[in-house]
Every structure is written in structure tokens, then in C-alpha cells.
Amino acid sequence: MKFGMKWEMILPLALFIAFLFFRSFSDSEYYLIQAGDSAKYLVLAKNFPYHKAYNDQFYIVHPPLYPYAIHFASYFVEDHLAGILVSIISAAITFFIVYKLIILINGNHYIALGSLSLFALSQVFIQKTANVLKEPFAIMLILSSIYFFVLFLKKGKISNIWLSSFFGILTGLTSDHVLLLILSLMAAYIIFVGKNKLLPAAIPIIAASLSYALWIFARIYAYATNEFYNVGLDGTVVNVSNWGLRQLLSPVFFSDMASIVPFRIVLEPSHYIYAIAYMLNLAIAPWPSGLRFSNIEVLFSFRYILQSVIYTILALAAVYGTFKILKSVFSKGIRRNGMALVLILFVIFLSPLTQEVASNRYTLTAIIFLFII
């Protein structure tokens, strides 16, 4: 479905202005630079290009590309603002990538504008963009790689494969979520093409894998040459001699940190319901703080009548969208079904939520696909 050419250009531009407004004038939680990942990123950026943090040791918890980006941005503004600048630029690029991706896989401008409206008003994304966090940067790289990969599968042109590979390589040097990107590219290939494009389609997957392998080898070297290393929360030194695959993928899962960050899969439904509900949290009508089933009657008070209406509509829309996608899968199959890919990508990027300790930062990319559904 298409608007007239004039409105097709004006409406996304108007949404983009609102998108930038909410992010440019949002409060930055400046105190976070005193602890947590924000402080680490600023220290790593200052120690460019050595990627050293605690005890002047090579830092192996987070890959180096995001601190490098902060370092180069700090030539223009001071380091804290440089981190926010990287986040805002990344979010702005993501806005247009999301628009192009939706049009590519679905062609429906109404879905595109609706999704961008939710993205522009998303309280979670506004908060993360206004802080020194790598997630906006990583999401931009992940979605760019997926977009150019799908563009190749649907339109051809080997240049799209190289672009997808380029962003896949950068993702491998930015976030462990490159593993989810690799699964996403595989899913896109299964849906949009058969065996005839296997070799070129494998290039981005191999490129992202090799890029991440370099980072894995850095962790292996650190574990193999040290009995203790500062890979725990906030630089806690832990025994790394008993490392395995789990610790290669996430250094916080050493036994010394088990009481704080347990490796445990959660099947409790409320664990997922709360997280997915807060994914829909909008700046114009934020959820009441501390909302749980035990105090859900608060949501139905006169004070929160706007939230009750908005989130009821959004929940029903999400359920209806999911129903339509599943119906199309059962009636037509998944081959060349763009919305089926959206649902699969939502599940893939939601998978970190299966862990007992899972910040909403770990599932930010899933929110994009929830908005599209």
C-alpha cells in the first residue's frame, strides 16, 4: 500500500523530527558514569587503542568498537557527550534502516509509519539513546547487516552482500549479539531464497563469524595465560582457570559470580509478560512504576486511564498481528513471507530473556520487531 509521493516523504520526515526531539531533549542519567558499563566505555575510549580498563589490563568483557567510536567522537565534544552523540547518530540511522527494511519485506507504508511512531515514542529507546551505552550503536549495525542481506536476496547485486558483510564484521567487534545476527541471516536465507544463492549468501555469515572469532580468541588467550582476571561485575577479579564455552560467550558466568549472575533458564510466564509489556512503554503514557499483577488495579484508576486505553490497543494489535502472521504461515508457508521473518527475528532477539538475570538492554533489538508485528 502506498501514499501519494508527497505524503510518502512528508510523514516519515515529520516522525523523524519528533524522533530526534524526544532523544535530544531527554535527561541523561549522568550519575551512571560513576559505575556500570557507561564508566567502562569512557575509560576504554580514553585508553584508545589499547582497550585497557581495570589494573591496566586488556578488557575482554566488551568488544572494542563502541569505545573506539566514542574516542573519535570525543574530538568534537567531551567524552560523556561523545558517547551520547554516537548513540543519537546511531539511532537516527536506525530510524531510516527500519523504514527501508519494512518497505522491503512488506511494502506496507502504514505498517512502516506505525512502527516508526512507536519507535519514536519508545521510552526504553529514548532512555538508552540519552546515555553512554553501546546498544543503539550495536542495533544500528545489526539491522543494517540484515537489511542489506535481505536486499540482496530479493533484489540481487553483489554490492549488498559486501555491505551486509561489512556491518556484520563491525557487529562482531561491537557485541556478543553477533551470534543472534548470524541466526537472523540464516533465517532470512531460508525464507527468501533457495539453493541458487547459497555461496554469496554465506559470505556475510562467514564474515561475521570470523570477526567474532577474533574476539573469542582474545578471551581464550586471557583465560589460558591467567589464573585470575577482572571479568566479574564492575571489574571483580575472579578465577578463570575453569573456563568453558559458556564463559567464552559471556565472561560474567564464572562460578565466582554465580550467586550474583546465575546461569539459569527461566520458564515462569510472568518473567516474559512483564518484560514484553514494558517493551511497549511509550514516553507519552509511561507505565506506572513497579507495576505487577499484585497491584495491577493501579492501571485501571482514573490517573492511568490513558495508559489503560493505549496499552490495551497495542496489546490487541500485537496479538492480532501475530495471529495473522501465523495464519499466513499455516496457509501459505514461510517461503518469501516477510512478516514471518519479522516474527522469527523477534523470537531470536528475545532469546536473552530466557536467562534469570536479563536487562532490557539485552532485548532492545526485539522491540523493533515487536513494533513491526
Side-chain angles (χ1 to χ4, degrees), residues 146 149-150 153 183-193 341 345:
I146 293 173
F149 188 75
V150 175
L153 295 178
L183 291 176
S184 301
L185 298 181
M186 291 178 177
Y189 176 79
I190 292 172
I191 287 177
F192 281 110
V193 76
L341 176 62
L345 295 183

Side-chain angles (χ1 to χ4, degrees), residues 76-235:
F76 305 98
V77 291
E78 63 98 7
D79 55 1
H80 177 251
L81 293 178
I84 296 175
L85 178 63
V86 172
S87 293
I88 290 177
I89 293 174
S90 300
I93 295 172
T94 300
F95 181 92
F96 292 104
I97 290 294
V98 170
Y99 179 76
K100 297 284 288 184
L101 181 61
I102 296 172
I103 298 303
L104 177 65
I105 64 178
N106 183 271
N108 191 315
H109 287 263
Y110 292 106
I111 292 178
L113 291 174
S115 302
L116 292 178
S117 298
L118 295 174
F119 185 30
L121 297 173
S122 171
Q123 182 73 11
V124 177
F125 276 106
I126 291 171
Q127 290 174 344
K128 303 312 178 189
T129 305
N131 287 283
V132 185
L133 296 171
K134 73 178 178 184
E135 278 69 27
F137 183 68
I139 289 171
M140 179 266 293
L141 298 176
I142 289 170
L143 293 182
S144 295
S145 183
I146 293 173
Y147 169 72
F148 286 110
F149 188 75
V150 175
L151 187 62
F152 166 75
L153 295 178
K154 295 197 70 174
K155 308 288 185 179
K157 285 192 177 181
I158 196 66
S159 60
N160 292 319
I161 279 296
W162 301 128
L163 286 169
S164 178
S165 300
F166 172 72
F167 287 110
I169 290 171
L170 296 185
T171 304
L173 298 174
T174 302
S175 171
D176 293 307
H177 280 200
V178 68
L179 296 173
L180 305 182
L181 170 62
I182 292 169
L183 291 176
S184 301
L185 298 181
M186 291 178 177
Y189 176 79
I190 292 172
I191 287 177
F192 281 110
V193 76
K195 292 184 284 188
N196 57 318
K197 293 184 178 179
L198 176 60
L199 290 180
I203 294 175
I205 297 173
I206 295 172
S209 301
L210 291 177
S211 171
Y212 187 59
L214 292 175
W215 187 242
I216 292 297
F217 284 136
R219 286 176 176 166
I220 291 175
Y221 180 79
Y223 298 158
T225 56
N226 295 273
E227 183 179 359
F228 295 91
Y229 211 83
N230 55 347
V231 296
L233 294 179
D234 293 331

